[in-house]
C-alpha cells in the first residue's frame, strides 16, 4: 500500500513539472496549508468569519505565544508525547511479538489468532468507561488505551508481511544451508518490513487519535485536557490552537516514520530515486 | 573416469500419479547432460531429487565423493530468486553460507561476479538489473561454493532469444573452465544439442532416449550437424503422437 502511494508521488512529480519552480519537492506540500491559513486570516479580518466561530490565525498564534511563555504549552505537549510514546512502545512491542510468533509458527497462530481477531473487532475507545473504572483518570488509563489501539495495526501487518513472503525465497535460503535464525534475519524480516512499516504509520495515526480522545474525556494534564479546559472558559483560540498542534504532531510522526521507511527500504524500487 | 552420480531404479509417486518409473542413469564426472521431455514428463522431479530437495519413493541415488555434503550439489531455477534487499555481491555470497563469511566471502563473491561479466555491478540492488543479468548473478551464487554438480532447472526459459544465446555461451565457457558436472533440464531441443555431451529424453517417467552428441565445441546454432541431432530428437519426441 505504501509502495503504491510513493510510486504515484514520483509520477506526479514528473507530470507536475510546471510547478517545480515554486519550491523543491519536499516543500511543495506546505503551499496549500499556507494558502488556507492566509485565506482564513483574510476572512477573519474582513469579518466574514466571526471571532466566536473561529478566531483569526494571528490570534491563535498569540494565544500559543502566551501559553508558551507560561510554560503550560510545553508541559502539556511533553506529557502527551510521553504518554503516546510509552503506549506506542508497549502496544507496538506486543503487536510485533505476536505478529512474529503467529507468522512463524502455525501452532501459535492456531491458539491466539481467533482471540485476537475478536478483541480487534471491539472499538477500543468503547472501553473508556471500563478503563476509567479500572484506572481512574491516572496515566495507566491513557497508556492502556494507546497500547491497545496501536497493537492491532502492528500485529496484523507484521503477520501479513511474514505470510506474504515469497516461498521460493525461503526455499532458496534453505537450499543454501541458512540456519533458522539466519533465514529470519536475511530473508523473513527484510521481506516483511514493507508491510510492517505500513502498520507502523497506521499505528501512529491511531496513537494520536486514541490519546486525544482519552485526554479529552479523562485527564488532568496533556493537550486534550488543555483543549477541554479552554472550552470551559470559552477560550476558543486555545481550542483551535490545540487542534492545530494535533495536526502538526501527527504530520511530524508520519514524516519520521516515512524517513525511517525510506532509509531501511532503499532496495525497494519504490524508494529508489530514478533521477539520481 | 569416476562417476558423478548414479540413479538406480528411481521412482517417485505423487498421489496416484507415478511421475518417475524406475530411472537408471549413470553420469561421469564433468559431463554436461541435458534432460528434455514434454511438460509433466518428470524432468523437474528428477532434478529436485538430484539436488536433494525431494526423496525418491523407490530405488537409489548415489553421489560421487565430491558431490556429497550440502554444497556438493547446487540447483539453479527458472527464476533468479535473488534477495531484493541484498546488494548483488551479498546475494552471491549467500552461496557461501557455512563455507566462508565476511571479507573472504565478499572477495570470492566478487571473483565469481567477474566470471559472469558483472564485476562492476556488485554494489547494485537486484531490482536495477535486467532479467539476464539477474540470472547471471544466480549462476555466480550457485557456483561460488564450487559444487561438483550443478543442476539447472530451465534457467534460461524466461529470457529473450538473444540473451538466451549469450547465456548459453557463458554457461558453456564457465563449465569448461570449472569442470563441474552439469545437468540441464530444458524444453528447448536446440539448447540441449548446443550445450550437452549427452541428451536424455524422458517420456512418461522412463528414459526413452540416451543420445551422445559427438560434435566439437563451440557449436553453432543452425549448423547442419546440430540441425541433424535436433531433427533426430524432435522426431523421437513427436513421432509417437504423429503415428
Amino acid at each position: 500500500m505504501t509502495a503504491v502511494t510513493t510510486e504515484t508521488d514520483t509520477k506526479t512529480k514528473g507530470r507536475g513539472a510546471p510547478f517545480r519552480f515554486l519550491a523543491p519537492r519536499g516543500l511543495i506540500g506546505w503551499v496549500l496549508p499556507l494558502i488556507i491559513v492566509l485565506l482564513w486570516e483574510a476572512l477573519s479580518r474582513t469579518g466574514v468569519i466571526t471571532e466566536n466561530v473561529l478566531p483569526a490565525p494571528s490570534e491563535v498564534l498569540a494565544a500559543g505565544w502566551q501559553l508558551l511563555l507560561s510554560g503550560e504549552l510545553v508541559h502539556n505537549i511533553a506529557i502527551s508525547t510521553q504518554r503516546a510514546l510509552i503506549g506506542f512502545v508497549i502496544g507496538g512491542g506486543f503487536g510485533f511479538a505476536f505478529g512474529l510468533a503467529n507468522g512463524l509458527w502455525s501452532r501459535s497462530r492456531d491458539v491466539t489468532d481467533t482471540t485476537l481477531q475478536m478483541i480487534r473487532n471491539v472499538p477500543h475507545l468503547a472501553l473508556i468507561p471500563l478503563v476509567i473504572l479500572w484506572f481512574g483518570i491516572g496515566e495507566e488509563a491513557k497508556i492502556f488505551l494507546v497500547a491497545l489501539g496501536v497493537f492491532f495495526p502492528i500485529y496484523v501487518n507484521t503477520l501479513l508481511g511474514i505470510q506474504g513472503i515469497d516461498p521460493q525465497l525461503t526455499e532458496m535460503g534453505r537450499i543454501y544451508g541458512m540456519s533458522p535464525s539466519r533465514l529470519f534475519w536475511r530473508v523473513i524480516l527484510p521481506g516483511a518490513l514493507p508491510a510492517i512499516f505500513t502498520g507502523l504509520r497506521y499505528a501512529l495515526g491511531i496513537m494520536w487519535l486514541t490519546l486525544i480522545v482519552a485526554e479529552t474525556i479523562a485527564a488532568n494534564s496533556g493537550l486534550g485536557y488543555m483543549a477541554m479546559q479552554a472550552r470551559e472558559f470559552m477560550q476558543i483560540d486555545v481550542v483551535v490552537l490545540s487542534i492545530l498542534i494535533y495536526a502538526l504532531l501527527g504530520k511530524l510522526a508520519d514524516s519520521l516514520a516515512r524517513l525511517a521507511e525510506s532509509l531501511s527500504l532503499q532496495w525497494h524500487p519504490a524508494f529508489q530515486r530514478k533521477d539520481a | 573416469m569416476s562417476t558423478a552420480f548414479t540413479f538406480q531404479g528411481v521412482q517417485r509417486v505423487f498421489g496416484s500419479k507415478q511421475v518417475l518409473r524406475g530411472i537408471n542413469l549413470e553420469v561421469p564426472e564433468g559431463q554436461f547432460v541435458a534432460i528434455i521431455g514434454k511438460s509433466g514428463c518428470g524432468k523437474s522431479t528428477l532434478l529436485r531429487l538430484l539436488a536433494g530437495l525431494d526423496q525418491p519413493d523407490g530405488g537409489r541415488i548415489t553421489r560421487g565423493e565430491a558431490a556429497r555434503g550440502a554444497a556438493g550439489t547446487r540447483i539453479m531455477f527458472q527464476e533468479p530468486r535473488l534477495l531484493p534487499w541484498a546488494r548483488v555481491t551479498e546475494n552471491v555470497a549467500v552461496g557461501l553460507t557455512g563455507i566462508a563469511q565476511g571479507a573472504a566471502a565478499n572477495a570470492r563473491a566478487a571473483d565469481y561476479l567477474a566470471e559472469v561479466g558483472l564485476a562492476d555491478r556488485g554494489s547494485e540492488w537486484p531490482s536495477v538489473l535486467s532479467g539476464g543479468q539477474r540470472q547471471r548473478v544466480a549462476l555466480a551464487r550457485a557456483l561460488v561454493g564450487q559444487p561438483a554438480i550443478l543442476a539447472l532447472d530451465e534457467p534460461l526459459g524466461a529470457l529473450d532469444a538473444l540473451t538466451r544465446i549469450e547465456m548459453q555461451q557463458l554457461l558453456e565457457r564457465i563449465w569448461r573452465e570449472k569442470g563441474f558436472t552439469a545437468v540441464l533440464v530444458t524444453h528447448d531441443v536446440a539448447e540441449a544439442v548446443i550445450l550437452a555431451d549427452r541428451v536424455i529424453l524422458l517420456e512418461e517417467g522412463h528414459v526413452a532416449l540416451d543420445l551422445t552428441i559427438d560434435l566439437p565445441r563451440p557449436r553453432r546454432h543452425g549448423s547442419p550437424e546440430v540441425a541433424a541431432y535436433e531433427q533426430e530428437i524432435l522426431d523421437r519426441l513427436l513421432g509417437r503422437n504423429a503415428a
Side-chain angles (χ1 to χ4, degrees), chain B residues 42-72:
Chain B
K43 51 192 198 295
S44 287
T45 307
L46 190 148
L47 207 67
R48 292 181 72 88
L49 288 172
L50 174 64
L53 301 181
D54 197 2
Q55 298 305 317
D57 295 307
R60 272 177 53 132
I61 300 172
T62 41
R63 292 182 184 81
E65 200 71 43
R68 285 182 199 148

Side-chain angles (χ1 to χ4, degrees), chain A residues 217-230:
Chain A
I217 295 171
N220 48 26
S221 60
L223 278 173
Y225 171 76
M226 190 175 89
M228 281 315 280
Q229 282 294 104

Side-chain angles (χ1 to χ4, degrees), chain B residues 82-112:
Chain B
L82 303 180
L83 299 173
W85 42 85
R87 307 263 179 191
V88 166
T89 310
E90 296 169 52
N91 262 296
V92 177
V94 165
L96 290 168
T97 305
I99 299 170
Q101 50 183 336
N106 284 337
R108 270 175 78 175
D111 287 347
Y112 273 82

Side-chain angles (χ1 to χ4, degrees), chain A residues 169-180:
Chain A
L169 282 186
T170 41
E171 187 188 50
M172 184 280 296
R174 275 191 214 101
I175 291 171
Y176 281 99
M178 288 190 188
S179 62

Side-chain angles (χ1 to χ4, degrees), chain A residues 155-234:
Chain A
Y155 166 70
V156 169
N157 284 287
T158 305
L159 181 59
L160 275 180
I162 290 180
Q163 288 176 334
I165 285 167
D166 185 355
Q168 292 188 335
L169 282 186
T170 41
E171 187 188 50
M172 184 280 296
R174 275 191 214 101
I175 291 171
Y176 281 99
M178 288 190 188
S179 62
S181 76
R182 202 175 170 79
L183 197 66
F184 175 76
W185 290 109
R186 293 297 308 275
V187 182
I188 295 172
L189 188 63
L193 214 51
I196 295 173
F197 270 111
T198 305
L200 181 78
R201 290 178 60 189
Y202 195 57
L204 286 175
I206 292 196
M207 175 184 85
W208 286 122
L209 173 86
T210 310
L211 186 69
I212 298 309
V213 173
E215 282 184 346
T216 305
I217 295 171
N220 48 26
S221 60
L223 278 173
Y225 171 76
M226 190 175 89
M228 281 315 280
Q229 282 294 104
R231 183 197 60 98
E232 298 241 344
F233 299 114
M234 292 296 283

Side-chain angles (χ1 to χ4, degrees), chain B residues 110-193:
Chain B
D111 287 347
Y112 273 82
L113 266 184
E115 198 79 58
V116 298
L118 292 174
D120 53 342
R121 308 304 294 271
S123 58
E124 310 241 32
W125 300 113
S127 60
V128 303
L129 302 182
S130 70
Q133 289 171 330
R134 284 180 209 174
Q135 206 54 302
R136 280 193 267 164
V137 176
L139 178 63
R141 179 180 63 191
L143 291 176
V144 72
Q146 295 173 316
I149 300 174
L150 179 63
L152 302 132
D153 193 359
E154 299 190 36
L156 314 184
L159 303 177
D160 65 84
L162 280 178
T163 313
R164 227 180 137 105
I165 291 174
E166 274 174 24
M167 281 292 286
Q168 288 167 0
Q169 289 166 350
L170 175 75
L171 191 60
E172 184 178 33
R173 177 173 62 75
I174 292 183
W175 166 71
R176 291 174 79 174
E177 258 173 48
K178 307 284 175 195
F180 52 85
T181 309
V183 184
L184 170 72
V185 160
T186 178
H187 48 230
D188 181 347
V189 176
E191 182 169 286
V193 175

